[in-house]
Amino acid sequence: MIHKIGVVSKNLSFFNLINQQKRADTEIEIEFLRDIDSLKKLRNSGKFISSFVFDSTHTNDAIIEFGKYIRGSGQKNALIFLALEDFETFQVVTADENFTDAKIINMPSTAADIYHRLVSDTRQAENQTNQKSKTEGTISNASFLNIFIESTMSTIKEMAQCEEISHAAPFLLDYKKMDNSITIRGKLAIKSPYFTGSFFISFPEETYLKVCSRVLYEEVTAITKENEDLVSEFCNIVYGKSKVAIAKLNMKLDMVIPTYNRESAIQSPSSILVVKFITELGPFYIKVAPGLV
């Protein structure tokens, strides 16, 4: 398993000192995050950070805003470390609800000590999470979503020969703010002891026609009965890949028959998580509706 650690700092030297400690450790990746935009770019490329360490180069308000973005984008369990020399800054930051469980690294500390603390705590936390999943047979909505994100990316890459594909951070569905109208969507209604809800792949018409053209090796100019069930096949393949990933956590998902529809909106009793994907063929979305079956 690759553990990704984000160094949040304006000081590239601070990052370099920590990164140099990695040496031949192939299980660790360290990213330099100068600002929130840096993290957004990583998220859009499909990378998720396991842990974050902040130094004192950002203002209190900037650190707090960063924390809000981390927690608000589905990473409620990400570890946050504060390598702060100013006690007043520490007091202000940890008073914020997103930093109440932050871990403290006493400064000054050597780069080797900081690296060891980051890696050991990150590995311990992820091992505990994996062990809990295996023994209790549970998976969080966020973990479930992440598995389906990865499966969706590989499926569209393979079937539509997409050279470029990335995704934005998850957000809650608000049709008033959606920038593309959906013409067709595939659906999986999942009932299991680990997760109950519905998974959707939703396409604007222009994107779907281009994807169909790639998959079918012929120009498709309209959605017809001959090609509309292809979106169900996408769901079927994504589900198969996701089942394999979830099985590695000693959990099993039963067989599900995918369906498709061309309804204008999803009606759900609870909030719907959305992830927007960007490809050279156009945008599309996956949506997870916990509780909707």
Side-chain angles (χ1 to χ4, degrees):
M1 176 182 290
I2 301 297
H3 304 280
K4 297 182 177 65
I5 297 173
V7 177
V8 184
S9 175
K10 292 182 179 180
N11 185 356
L12 184 58
S13 297
F14 178 67
F15 162 78
N16 287 335
L17 286 171
I18 296 175
N19 195 39
Q20 287 169 6
Q21 307 304 312
K22 185 175 67 171
R23 297 186 177 89
D25 196 341
T26 57
E27 293 184 359
I28 302 297
E29 291 183 2
I30 301 180
E31 301 285 350
F32 179 54
L33 304 174
R34 184 180 294 276
D35 49 32
I36 292 179
D37 286 341
S38 302
L39 177 57
K40 289 180 179 179
K41 288 179 182 178
L42 279 181
R43 295 294 301 273
N44 291 343
S45 66
K47 292 183 179 181
F48 289 84
I49 304 296
S50 307
S51 304
F52 299 83
V53 56
F54 292 79
D55 69 0
S56 299
T57 55
H58 283 284
T59 65
N60 297 349
D61 289 342
I63 293 174
I64 290 172
E65 281 302 311
F66 216 113
K68 287 180 180 178
Y69 178 78
I70 293 170
R71 299 307 189 199
S73 59
Q75 291 189 267
K76 295 186 180 297
N77 296 322
L79 295 185
I80 291 180
F81 297 83
L82 298 176
L84 307 176
E85 297 185 34
D86 182 6
F87 183 70
E88 183 178 345
T89 298
F90 164 75
Q91 285 184 308
V92 172
V93 171
T94 54
D96 184 83
E97 62 180 354
N98 295 302
F99 288 89
T100 55
D101 58 351
K103 296 176 176 289
I104 308 304
I105 297 179
N106 294 322
M107 297 295 288
S109 292
T110 66
D113 287 342
I114 294 173
Y115 177 82
H116 176 74
R117 175 73 185 282
L118 293 174
V119 172
S120 62
D121 283 19
T122 299
R123 282 175 171 162
Q124 182 180 12
E126 292 194 3
N127 288 339
Q128 288 175 346
T129 298
N130 291 339
Q131 187 61 37
K132 182 178 180 181
S133 295
K134 290 178 180 179
T135 57
E136 296 182 5
T138 60
I139 185 169
S140 67
N141 290 341
S143 297
F144 179 87
L145 179 62
N146 288 339
I147 289 172
F148 272 75
I149 286 174
E150 295 298 324
S151 298
T152 299
M153 291 185 71
S154 64
T155 297
I156 299 300
K157 272 186 177 181
E158 294 165 6
M159 293 193 67
Q161 302 100 51
C162 278
E163 296 180 1
E164 299 179 7
I165 182 168
S166 61
H167 67 83
F171 60 92
L172 294 180
L173 177 61
D174 183 346
Y175 281 108
K176 296 179 181 178
K177 298 180 180 179
M178 292 291 285
D179 53 2
N180 296 97
S181 59
I182 300 303
T183 302
I184 189 168
R185 66 171 59 88
K187 176 184 177 181
L188 295 167
I190 302 168
K191 293 182 179 179
S192 77
Y194 328 112
F195 176 86
T196 297
S198 291
F199 168 82
F200 301 87
I201 301 181
S202 305
F203 289 90
E205 182 174 15
E206 184 176 357
T207 304
Y208 189 69
L209 294 177
K210 290 181 179 179
V211 169
C212 286
S213 297
R214 284 273 184 94
V215 174
L216 301 175
Y217 294 97
E218 61 183 32
E219 185 178 5
V220 178
T221 59
I223 300 176
T224 65
K225 290 183 179 179
E226 285 70 34
N227 60 48
E228 61 185 2
D229 64 343
L230 184 60
V231 72
S232 298
E233 183 61 19
F234 291 149
C235 281
N236 196 38
I237 296 173
V238 169
Y239 188 66
K241 290 176 178 287
S242 299
K243 283 179 66 177
V244 172
I246 290 173
K248 293 179 180 178
L249 299 175
N250 285 349
M251 291 181 282
K252 180 182 177 181
L253 291 177
D254 293 330
M255 182 180 296
V256 173
I257 299 176
T259 60
Y260 64 89
N261 66 66
R262 301 182 66 176
E263 298 171 1
S264 59
I266 300 171
Q267 304 297 327
S268 175
S270 59
S271 298
I272 299 173
L273 287 169
V274 183
V275 178
K276 180 179 180 179
F277 290 80
I278 305 297
T279 76
E280 70 264 29
L281 303 178
F284 70 96
Y285 305 83
I286 64 170
K287 301 169 185 175
V288 173
L292 176 64
V293 291

